[in-house]
Amino acid sequence: MKLIDQYIKEIEKDITKSQLKIKTEEVGVISEIKDGVALLIGLDNVSYGELIEFESGVKGYVIDMNEDSIGVIILGDYLGLKSGEQAKALGQTLSVPVSERILGRVIDPLGNPQDNLSKIKADKFYPLEKIAPGVVYRRSVNTPVQTGIKAIDALIPIGRGQRELIIGDRGTGKTTIAIDTIINQKSENMVCIYCGIGQKNSKMASVVETLRKQKALDYTVVVNASASDPASLQYLAPYSATAIAEYFMDKGKDVLVVYDDLTKHAWAYRQISLILRRPAGREAFPGDIFYLHSRLLERACRLDVKYGGGSITALPIIETLEGDLSSYIPTNVISITDGQLFLETDLFNAGIRPAINVGLSVSRVGSTAQTKAMKKVAGKLKLDLAQYREMAAFSQFESELDEETRKFLNRGARLTQILIQKKNQPFSLAHEVAAIWAANNGYLDGVSISHIEEFGNRLTSYLDTRGKAWVKSVNKSKLLSEDDEKSLEKIVKDNVEVSS
Amino acid sequence: MAINVKIKEELEDYLQNRAGKKRNRALIKTAYRLSEQEIESIKRAIPALKDFELDNEVDDSLLAGFVIKFGTKVIDLSLSGKLKSFKKLMYEID
């Protein structure tokens, strides 16, 4: 009895001491529910972008404000909601919980774990919608993102803080390029975020498995809004990924974000806009479809040292139909990004993988984001390949051509072959430089086309065993000194002799 | 034919609202009927309700405390409301 009396005394003390906080909440009532969108009456004083919570616990996001009603997209399962259900405003804008513990996890756009592990405890909450850093906060891009793909690092280099679009038809290897880039960031001190928008669950599972097998998941976050998730989550997924990236960028880190893909993102936003009865424009997209992507991609930048010096590199992916680059969404995103990697089905089918059309692909940052070692070998490679493309049409008249032309065609074919590489096997800087240097200086001119892959493999394995010191020194210094070139000459000569 | 009283009230409210005059009726829901003094002391404690007329409604499901609705705003100081948020808190902790 005494114990209970003590408890009651404690409770009495607590109640009389504590001040009752009077909190006013806005409430509303659902009047209409459409696919994933609810119209509410009431909620007179909510702000745009505020979070709403329904009675059943499902959350919503205010996206439309009319004179008498509010349009809310439902962040979750809308099938359990009823007309007449109460909703209250939470007084905060939509944010995603972030902390260092988010690395290695698979989450949905609201921060809920999808990999059956523990909930993520948040250090901070980063808002999904944020205005991109202004001009004063930025610094120019001059450090490279080593993708590990020879064709990209040599001819279309990507810098930290750049936005490079990966565009092509279905099945041309867009996701593979993104995944290979993520795998190659193992020793580059970069945080990677892979954002899947409207992808098949099987594809997301295989992506996560690939990253796990290659030990890339330790520094990667996977944000997943699959095709079976409501359009509202697909619409918010890239913004959620960018918010997480900004958390790491504010800590001074370099971040790589892959948006796979923005075409499905545009479709999800079109679905939401049409349900909200917003006026439909070209291809039934709403009027602000450009702003949808521009405000997302502008948040990728490189910050000045004063503000931490971090950066976000964005690799958005767009799927075209029948190679049509001049359709609505592709032209929009091409004009926003700092360059594109154009993948072609014809090249893919001809065995050139990655199927990058070097002529049409562009990096507006270019060689400012290349290491000195790569710059040495890339200039000649670019010229030779350009000349090869000019004369490619004449390759069928091989026997009737003069010596010079035949030499160009020969060299060009071998350069194209040396740029081919297998998927999920990214190259380090030294390996890339070695392979391109060998082709540039004519050591492969005598090797038959079908044996070039063999040469490439042999060179790689030689460098990994007996050439370890050379690889280490080039990877560290990022230069190709005279001595380095001499040692490389010896290595290449040895390997070429074996193959012929 | 006479107009239904409820409809008359709603129409009056609606017209007043459209005319720009703020509605100053608030609804206070309690688990038992309140006396005049209790309503006055609540009005004093919450400054936002100064110019409001309070209508008292009895609702057993609140268990204790009260809920005040004015316009689209709600002040929930009921026991059932606190229990609900406690339940949600419990579910969020693993």
Side-chain angles (χ1 to χ4, degrees):
Chain A
M1 275 309 284
K2 266 204 151 153
L3 209 56
I4 296 181
D5 283 334
Q6 243 190 333
Y7 281 152
I8 293 180
K9 266 218 199 79
E10 284 293 328
I11 295 173
E12 261 182 342
K13 235 199 307 182
D14 253 347
I15 293 180
T16 45
K17 238 200 295 178
S18 70
Q19 290 281 47
L20 211 52
K21 277 183 259 141
I22 298 176
K23 216 174 35 150
T24 331
E25 289 169 333
E26 288 284 332
V27 283
V29 166
I30 298 181
S31 71
E32 279 183 59
I33 303 183
K34 309 185 207 194
D35 276 301
V37 173
L39 290 180
L40 303 166
I41 298 183
L43 287 169
D44 286 344
N45 293 313
V46 290
S47 29
Y48 189 90
E50 195 170 323
L51 262 185
I52 304 282
E53 189 172 8
F54 295 96
E55 252 174 62
S56 44
V58 182
K59 293 213 168 60
Y61 178 66
V62 173
I63 203 177
D64 211 31
M65 291 168 70
N66 305 309
E67 192 176 352
D68 303 315
S69 65
I70 307 276
V72 165
I73 52 173
I74 296 155
L75 306 174
D77 187 15
Y78 62 90
L79 293 173
L81 297 177
K82 295 197 288 270
S83 172
E85 191 165 325
Q86 289 243 354
K88 65 172 193 252
L90 293 179
Q92 39 166 280
T93 37
L94 184 54
S95 318
V96 60
V98 284
S99 75
E100 285 284 338
R101 287 171 285 262
I102 214 175
L103 291 173
R105 305 298 305 272
V106 181
I107 58 172
D108 79 354
L110 301 174
N112 302 316
Q114 292 203 329
D115 46 6
N116 268 331
L117 299 172
S118 64
K119 249 185 117 142
I120 298 164
K121 248 178 139 190
D123 273 347
K124 290 202 176 128
F125 286 87
Y126 262 64
L128 256 61
E129 293 284 357
K130 180 170 175 267
I131 299 192
V135 179
V136 182
Y137 294 85
R138 296 179 186 231
R139 187 162 54 132
S140 65
V141 175
N142 54 23
T143 19
V145 169
Q146 294 292 129
T147 61
I149 298 169
K150 287 176 278 194
I152 300 179
D153 288 338
L155 303 165
I156 316 140
I158 303 177
R160 297 190 184 193
Q162 184 182 0
R163 292 85 48 89
E164 182 83 3
L165 174 64
I166 304 174
I167 187 167
D169 281 353
R170 55 176 169 73
T172 42
K174 304 185 290 291
T175 308
T176 313
I177 289 185
I179 298 298
D180 281 358
T181 309
I182 293 180
I183 295 174
N184 200 42
Q185 303 310 311
K186 227 173 287 190
S187 43
E188 300 276 339
N189 194 22
M190 264 184 108
V191 174
C192 297
I193 302 176
Y194 180 83
C195 178
I197 307 158
Q199 299 294 320
K200 295 186 278 215
N201 279 310
S202 58
K203 180 173 171 187
M204 288 308 290
S206 88
V207 161
V208 173
E209 202 41 49
T210 310
L211 291 176
R212 185 171 293 137
K213 258 205 292 227
Q214 301 275 350
K215 309 242 188 326
L217 209 50
D218 304 326
Y219 53 87
T220 308
V221 185
V222 178
V223 179
N224 181 25
S226 70
S228 58
D229 286 333
S232 53
L233 286 180
Q234 290 183 35
Y235 160 60
L236 292 173
Y239 297 103
S240 181
T242 315
I244 299 172
E246 282 168 345
Y247 168 69
F248 287 106
M249 176 171 77
D250 288 344
K251 288 177 140 204
K253 294 206 132 162
D254 292 322
V255 190
L256 173 75
V257 190
V258 177
Y259 303 105
D260 193 359
D261 55 61
L262 289 186
T263 317
K264 300 201 175 59
H265 182 229
W267 291 353
Y269 186 59
R270 176 175 56 185
Q271 174 179 330
I272 296 172
S273 295
L274 288 174
I275 294 177
L276 288 168
R277 306 294 241 124
R278 291 182 180 171
R282 179 177 164 184
E283 289 182 29
F285 286 107
D288 59 345
I289 199 76
F290 184 89
Y291 185 55
L292 175 80
H293 290 149
S294 68
R295 74 174 184 266
L296 171 72
L297 293 172
E298 277 298 310
R299 286 159 78 175
C301 62
R302 189 176 188 217
L303 289 181
D304 198 56
V305 191
K306 263 191 292 187
Y307 304 102
S311 70
I312 298 178
T313 309
L315 292 180
I317 297 180
I318 291 266
E319 188 177 294
T320 49
L321 290 169
E322 304 258 319
D324 184 14
L325 275 188
S326 42
S327 126
Y328 194 23
I329 303 295
T331 44
N332 274 354
V333 185
I334 289 175
S335 65
I336 297 170
T337 53
D338 309 313
Q340 66 266 8
L341 292 169
F342 187 30
L343 302 173
E344 277 185 332
T345 330
D346 293 338
L347 293 174
F348 190 84
N349 293 333
I352 301 177
R353 303 172 193 187
I356 302 175
N357 182 330
V358 182
L360 291 177
S361 304
V362 140
S363 165
R364 299 187 207 192
V365 166
S367 58
T368 21
Q370 253 179 344
T371 56
K372 288 209 170 69
M374 185 55 87
K375 256 195 264 229
K376 251 193 175 176
V377 293
K380 191 164 188 298
L381 175 69
K382 216 175 190 153
L383 278 172
D384 288 348
L385 275 179
Q387 277 174 325
Y388 174 62
R389 276 194 306 277
E390 291 280 307
M391 298 185 213
F394 296 110
S395 58
Q396 44 195 339
F397 304 116
E398 209 176 316
S399 53
E400 297 165 15
L401 294 167
D402 61 293
E403 192 57 43
E404 276 293 306
T405 319
R406 226 181 299 160
K407 255 179 46 190
F408 275 130
L409 289 173
N410 200 23
R411 174 68 62 85
R414 274 145 189 77
L415 288 172
T416 315
Q417 275 303 115
I418 201 72
L419 291 179
I420 295 178
Q421 64 189 82
K422 285 209 155 37
K423 77 182 225 174
N424 296 338
Q425 285 181 19
F427 281 47
S428 80
L429 175 65
H431 289 86
E432 290 179 345
V433 170
I436 299 173
W437 189 92
N440 261 343
N441 291 299
Y443 290 101
L444 297 181
D445 289 347
V447 180
S448 72
I449 299 258
S450 45
H451 285 131
I452 293 203
E453 189 187 345
E454 212 190 299
F455 166 80
N457 292 336
R458 202 170 324 108
L459 184 63
T460 309
S461 55
Y462 186 98
L463 288 170
D464 285 337
T465 49
R466 295 200 276 177
K468 255 196 177 147
W470 186 88
V471 169
K472 215 166 153 205
S473 108
V474 172
N475 273 337
K476 201 157 160 238
S477 66
K478 305 210 197 296
L479 295 168
L480 195 64
S481 65
E482 289 277 325
D483 298 328
D484 288 331
E485 272 196 75
K486 279 210 198 80
S487 348
L488 182 56
E489 198 177 334
K490 244 183 92 277
I491 296 175
V492 169
K493 276 211 186 111
D494 290 340
N495 279 292
V496 170
E497 270 159 18
V498 181
S499 86
S500 30
Chain B
M1 243 186 17
I3 307 176
N4 188 326
V5 178
K6 273 257 141 143
I7 296 182
K8 210 171 169 183
E9 264 179 41
E10 283 294 320
L11 188 60
E12 206 178 306
D13 273 340
Y14 177 71
L15 288 173
Q16 288 230 343
N17 212 10
R18 292 299 292 231
K21 299 205 199 96
K22 287 182 130 224
R23 284 198 255 162
N24 55 4
R25 298 188 81 89
L27 180 67
I28 177 165
K29 285 208 260 184
T30 47
Y32 63 92
R33 186 150 293 278
L34 290 176
S35 69
E36 275 297 318
Q37 288 170 309
E38 290 171 319
I39 296 184
E40 278 307 307
S41 59
I42 291 176
K43 266 179 91 168
R44 257 180 286 130
I46 305 173
L49 290 177
K50 237 178 14 150
D51 309 313
F52 279 75
E53 284 177 44
L54 290 169
D55 296 329
N56 188 216
E57 193 181 292
V58 177
D59 185 355
D60 274 339
S61 65
L62 289 178
L63 301 176
F66 56 85
V67 172
I68 305 181
K69 290 194 177 148
F70 48 106
T72 51
K73 296 207 225 295
V74 157
I75 297 176
D76 186 352
L77 288 171
S78 67
L79 187 58
S80 63
K82 278 211 158 44
L83 286 174
K84 254 195 238 150
S85 54
F86 190 50
K87 183 172 162 190
K88 215 172 282 168
L89 198 67
M90 293 296 275
Y91 275 133
E92 282 188 7
I93 302 174
D94 271 335

